[in-house]
């Protein structure tokens, strides 16, 4: 371990050299490499977390650059998968950290595989469906996770400790967590940075095992209007909660809740995930499409018609840009793939 690199962190008494050693031994899973995920991942890598895994299903676009700090115009021009672009940048920042990335949609199967050996899960997602999946997986495996979200100039963050704090399922009924989205209200970059400042500060407390210092409430703020609140949530914990109660059933890990089609936040885009996971042969697909309308890189293939852009990934997923209509997206999907 490079002592000089972390010298200022060593001087911070709650971490010190002992805490730094703990950080080096820990493994953090970051779910999502968008605005929250990239900011959190960069701070964790700079702090010297020993092992970081990042999962993301998307690729870099020009509209991401306003708030997703790891990416460049070249990444957007090449439509590089976010997980790949993130690793390229993060490894340049700290070669001592083991960084593993996956271009994948986060469903139960992925989480079951990637939570093995993980000490903490950080939320960098943009939808509650994935967060509820993370929540149940966290409770089932007794892994702490840190929820975060932002829209407009608003943000919020909450540490969820299995067996100690209310889980997200409990909080959903006690505290209004949803409403506007980035699709309807946009988002400013300072709100992102404020959320991840809270997420990463709490992450460091968890990882150096300073439980007394962990904030067990829900932080909310509005940067534009100068509002900041720390809401106590202990009253929200429910003994009959299906995710963290006395007799948990982990409902969001059930196949019944597994969605194959999703409208992506903030974009005219629908993702379609085939029911049976299998690797798609992009070269075969390319041969069936008009060559003048196809672009490709080693990770994905893009096909454009007059109104839509379809992006095919090796794991079988397809992003259909230019519509929020699920039925229209399905029709385009079947028109190209015949299945």
């Amino acid at each position: 371990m490079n002592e000089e690199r972390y010298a200022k962190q060593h001087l911070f008494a709650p971490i010190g050299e002992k805490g730094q050693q703990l950080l080096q031994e820990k493994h953090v899973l970051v779910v999502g490499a968008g605005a929250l995920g990239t900011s959190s991942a960069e701070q964790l890598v700079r702090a010297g977390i020993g092992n970081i895994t990042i999962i993301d299903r998307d690729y870099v676009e020009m509209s991401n650059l306003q708030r997703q700090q790891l990416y460049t115009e070249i990444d957007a021009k090449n439509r590089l998968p976010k997980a790949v672009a993130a690793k390229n940048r993060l490894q340049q920042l700290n070669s001592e950290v083991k960084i593993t990335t996956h271009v994948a949609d986060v469903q139960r199967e992925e989480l079951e595989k990637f939570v093995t050996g993980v000490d903490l899960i950080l939320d960098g997602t943009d939808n509650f469906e994935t967060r509820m999946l993370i929540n149940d997986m966290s409770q089932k495996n007794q892994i702490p996770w840190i929820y975060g979200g932002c829209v407009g100039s608003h943000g919020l963050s909450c540490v969820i400790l299995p067996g100690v704090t209310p889980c997200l399922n409990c909080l959903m009924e006690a505290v209004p967590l949803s409403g506007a989205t980035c699709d309807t209200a946009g988002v400013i970059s300072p709100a992102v940075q404020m959320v991840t400042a809270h997420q990463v500060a709490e992450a460091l407390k968890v990882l150096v095992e300073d439980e007394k210092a962990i904030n067990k409430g829900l932080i909310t703020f509005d940067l534009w209007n100068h509002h900041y609140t720390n809401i106590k949530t202990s009253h929200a914990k429910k003994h009959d909660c299906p995710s963290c109660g006395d007799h948990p059933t982990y409902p969001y890990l059930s196949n019944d809740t597994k969605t194959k089609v999703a409208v992506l936040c903030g974009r005219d885009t629908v993702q379609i995930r085939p029911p049976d996971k299998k690797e798609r042969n992009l070269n075969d697909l390319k041969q069936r499409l008009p060559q003048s309308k196809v672009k490709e890189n080693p990770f994905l293939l893009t096909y454009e018609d007059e109104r839509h852009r379809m992006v095919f990934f090796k794991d079988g997923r397809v992003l259909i840009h230019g519509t929020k209509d699920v039925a229209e997206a399905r029709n385009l999907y079947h028109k190209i793939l015949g299945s």
Side-chain angles (χ1 to χ4, degrees), residues 5 32 41 65 77 97 140 143 150 219 254 262 265 282 294 303 314 331:
R5 177 190 288 270
L65 304 184
K77 181 179 179 180
V97 176
K140 182 178 180 181
I143 301 171
C150 58
I219 298 291
S254 167
C265 175
L282 297 182
V294 172
Y303 167 74
K314 287 184 177 180
N331 287 337

Side-chain angles (χ1 to χ4, degrees), residues 93-196:
L93 298 177
N94 193 341
S95 59
E96 295 180 352
V97 176
K98 179 182 178 182
I99 301 169
T100 306
T101 58
H102 302 275
V103 182
D105 188 28
V106 177
Q107 296 290 338
R108 186 194 65 190
E109 296 91 338
E110 285 78 15
L111 273 185
E112 285 179 339
K113 179 168 60 175
F114 297 134
V115 297
T116 302
V118 163
D119 298 290
L120 175 70
I121 303 171
L122 267 186
D123 171 25
T125 68
D126 61 4
N127 66 88
F128 273 95
E129 186 175 351
T130 304
R131 289 174 178 132
M132 298 307 286
L133 183 65
I134 294 170
N135 185 69
D136 273 12
M137 193 65 72
S138 158
Q139 297 300 321
K140 182 178 180 181
N141 293 278
Q142 296 293 292
I143 301 171
W145 76 285
I146 303 178
Y147 161 61
C150 58
V151 60
S153 60
H154 298 261
L156 67 168
S157 177
C158 185
V159 181
I160 297 175
L161 303 174
V164 178
T165 67
C167 77
L168 186 61
N169 209 353
C170 295
L171 293 176
M172 287 286 286
E173 295 190 16
V175 182
L177 297 178
S178 58
T181 69
C182 56
D183 194 18
T184 59
V187 64
I188 59 172
S189 181
V192 173
Q193 300 305 317
M194 180 67 84
V195 171
T196 60

Side-chain angles (χ1 to χ4, degrees), residues 107 129 133 136 250-260:
Q107 296 290 338
E129 186 175 351
L133 183 65
D136 273 12
Y250 312 116
Y252 293 91
L253 299 183
S254 167
N255 281 328
D256 294 339
T257 62
K258 187 176 179 180
T259 300
K260 302 299 182 185

